[in-house]
mmCIF file with all atom_site columns, all heavy atoms in Angstrom:
data_model
loop_
_atom_site.group_PDB
_atom_site.id
_atom_site.type_symbol
_atom_site.label_atom_id
_atom_site.label_alt_id
_atom_site.label_comp_id
_atom_site.label_asym_id
_atom_site.label_entity_id
_atom_site.label_seq_id
_atom_site.pdbx_PDB_ins_code
_atom_site.Cartn_x
_atom_site.Cartn_y
_atom_site.Cartn_z
_atom_site.occupancy
_atom_site.B_iso_or_equiv
_atom_site.pdbx_formal_charge
_atom_site.auth_seq_id
_atom_site.auth_comp_id
_atom_site.auth_asym_id
_atom_site.auth_atom_id
_atom_site.pdbx_PDB_model_num
ATOM   1  N  N   . CYS A 1 58 ? -28.347 -38.714 -7.574  1.00 0.00 ? 96   CYS A N   1
ATOM   2  C  CA  . CYS A 1 58 ? -28.541 -38.580 -6.130  1.00 0.00 ? 96   CYS A CA  1
ATOM   3  C  C   . CYS A 1 58 ? -29.096 -39.897 -5.599  1.00 0.00 ? 96   CYS A C   1
ATOM   4  O  O   . CYS A 1 58 ? -30.013 -40.482 -6.181  1.00 0.00 ? 96   CYS A O   1
ATOM   5  C  CB  . CYS A 1 58 ? -29.519 -37.439 -5.844  1.00 0.00 ? 96   CYS A CB  1
ATOM   6  S  SG  . CYS A 1 58 ? -30.097 -37.399 -4.134  1.00 0.00 ? 96   CYS A SG  1
ATOM   7  N  N   . VAL A 1 60 ? -30.935 -40.431 -3.195  1.00 0.00 ? 98   VAL A N   1
ATOM   8  C  CA  . VAL A 1 60 ? -32.302 -40.331 -2.692  1.00 0.00 ? 98   VAL A CA  1
ATOM   9  C  C   . VAL A 1 60 ? -33.295 -40.056 -3.822  1.00 0.00 ? 98   VAL A C   1
ATOM   10 O  O   . VAL A 1 60 ? -34.202 -40.840 -4.072  1.00 0.00 ? 98   VAL A O   1
ATOM   11 C  CB  . VAL A 1 60 ? -32.406 -39.229 -1.607  1.00 0.00 ? 98   VAL A CB  1
ATOM   12 C  CG1 . VAL A 1 60 ? -33.830 -39.146 -1.067  1.00 0.00 ? 98   VAL A CG1 1
ATOM   13 C  CG2 . VAL A 1 60 ? -31.413 -39.506 -0.490  1.00 0.00 ? 98   VAL A CG2 1
ATOM   14 N  N   . CYS A 1 61 ? -33.099 -38.949 -4.539  1.00 0.00 ? 99   CYS A N   1
ATOM   15 C  CA  . CYS A 1 61 ? -34.130 -38.518 -5.501  1.00 0.00 ? 99   CYS A CA  1
ATOM   16 C  C   . CYS A 1 61 ? -33.781 -38.826 -6.953  1.00 0.00 ? 99   CYS A C   1
ATOM   17 O  O   . CYS A 1 61 ? -34.588 -38.587 -7.841  1.00 0.00 ? 99   CYS A O   1
ATOM   18 C  CB  . CYS A 1 61 ? -34.400 -37.029 -5.345  1.00 0.00 ? 99   CYS A CB  1
ATOM   19 S  SG  . CYS A 1 61 ? -33.069 -35.992 -5.982  1.00 0.00 ? 99   CYS A SG  1
ATOM   20 N  N   . CYS A 1 62 ? -32.578 -39.346 -7.196  1.00 0.00 ? 100  CYS A N   1
ATOM   21 C  CA  . CYS A 1 62 ? -32.136 -39.740 -8.538  1.00 0.00 ? 100  CYS A CA  1
ATOM   22 C  C   . CYS A 1 62 ? -31.859 -38.580 -9.481  1.00 0.00 ? 100  CYS A C   1
ATOM   23 O  O   . CYS A 1 62 ? -31.655 -38.795 -10.682 1.00 0.00 ? 100  CYS A O   1
ATOM   24 C  CB  . CYS A 1 62 ? -33.121 -40.695 -9.213  1.00 0.00 ? 100  CYS A CB  1
ATOM   25 S  SG  . CYS A 1 62 ? -33.444 -42.187 -8.284  1.00 0.00 ? 100  CYS A SG  1
ATOM   26 N  N   . THR A 1 63 ? -31.855 -37.342 -8.991  1.00 0.00 ? 101  THR A N   1
ATOM   27 C  CA  . THR A 1 63 ? -31.517 -36.250 -9.905  1.00 0.00 ? 101  THR A CA  1
ATOM   28 C  C   . THR A 1 63 ? -30.030 -36.297 -10.240 1.00 0.00 ? 101  THR A C   1
ATOM   29 O  O   . THR A 1 63 ? -29.250 -36.959 -9.552  1.00 0.00 ? 101  THR A O   1
ATOM   30 C  CB  . THR A 1 63 ? -31.878 -34.869 -9.303  1.00 0.00 ? 101  THR A CB  1
ATOM   31 O  OG1 . THR A 1 63 ? -31.855 -33.893 -10.347 1.00 0.00 ? 101  THR A OG1 1
ATOM   32 C  CG2 . THR A 1 63 ? -30.916 -34.453 -8.205  1.00 0.00 ? 101  THR A CG2 1
ATOM   33 N  N   . ILE A 1 69 ? -25.503 -37.240 -2.216  1.00 0.00 ? 107  ILE A N   1
ATOM   34 C  CA  . ILE A 1 69 ? -26.868 -36.787 -1.966  1.00 0.00 ? 107  ILE A CA  1
ATOM   35 C  C   . ILE A 1 69 ? -26.946 -35.328 -2.417  1.00 0.00 ? 107  ILE A C   1
ATOM   36 O  O   . ILE A 1 69 ? -26.102 -34.512 -2.038  1.00 0.00 ? 107  ILE A O   1
ATOM   37 C  CB  . ILE A 1 69 ? -27.215 -36.932 -0.472  1.00 0.00 ? 107  ILE A CB  1
ATOM   38 C  CG1 . ILE A 1 69 ? -27.191 -38.421 -0.119  1.00 0.00 ? 107  ILE A CG1 1
ATOM   39 C  CG2 . ILE A 1 69 ? -28.578 -36.320 -0.166  1.00 0.00 ? 107  ILE A CG2 1
ATOM   40 C  CD1 . ILE A 1 69 ? -27.619 -38.765 1.273   1.00 0.00 ? 107  ILE A CD1 1
ATOM   41 N  N   . CYS A 1 70 ? -27.950 -35.008 -3.227  1.00 0.00 ? 108  CYS A N   1
ATOM   42 C  CA  . CYS A 1 70 ? -28.005 -33.673 -3.826  1.00 0.00 ? 108  CYS A CA  1
ATOM   43 C  C   . CYS A 1 70 ? -28.319 -32.613 -2.765  1.00 0.00 ? 108  CYS A C   1
ATOM   44 O  O   . CYS A 1 70 ? -28.823 -32.936 -1.685  1.00 0.00 ? 108  CYS A O   1
ATOM   45 C  CB  . CYS A 1 70 ? -29.034 -33.643 -4.952  1.00 0.00 ? 108  CYS A CB  1
ATOM   46 S  SG  . CYS A 1 70 ? -30.745 -33.545 -4.368  1.00 0.00 ? 108  CYS A SG  1
ATOM   47 N  N   . CYS A 1 73 ? -32.025 -32.742 -1.319  1.00 0.00 ? 111  CYS A N   1
ATOM   48 C  CA  . CYS A 1 73 ? -32.296 -33.845 -0.390  1.00 0.00 ? 111  CYS A CA  1
ATOM   49 C  C   . CYS A 1 73 ? -31.521 -33.665 0.916   1.00 0.00 ? 111  CYS A C   1
ATOM   50 O  O   . CYS A 1 73 ? -31.916 -34.172 1.959   1.00 0.00 ? 111  CYS A O   1
ATOM   51 C  CB  . CYS A 1 73 ? -31.917 -35.183 -1.023  1.00 0.00 ? 111  CYS A CB  1
ATOM   52 S  SG  . CYS A 1 73 ? -33.002 -35.652 -2.372  1.00 0.00 ? 111  CYS A SG  1
HETATM 53 ZN ZN1 . ZN  B 2 .  ? -31.636 -35.707 -4.228  1.00 0.00 ? 1660 ZN  B ZN1 1
#
Side-chain angles (χ1 to χ4, degrees):
C96 168
V98 181
C99 73
C100 303
T101 195
I107 296 185
C108 77
C111 291

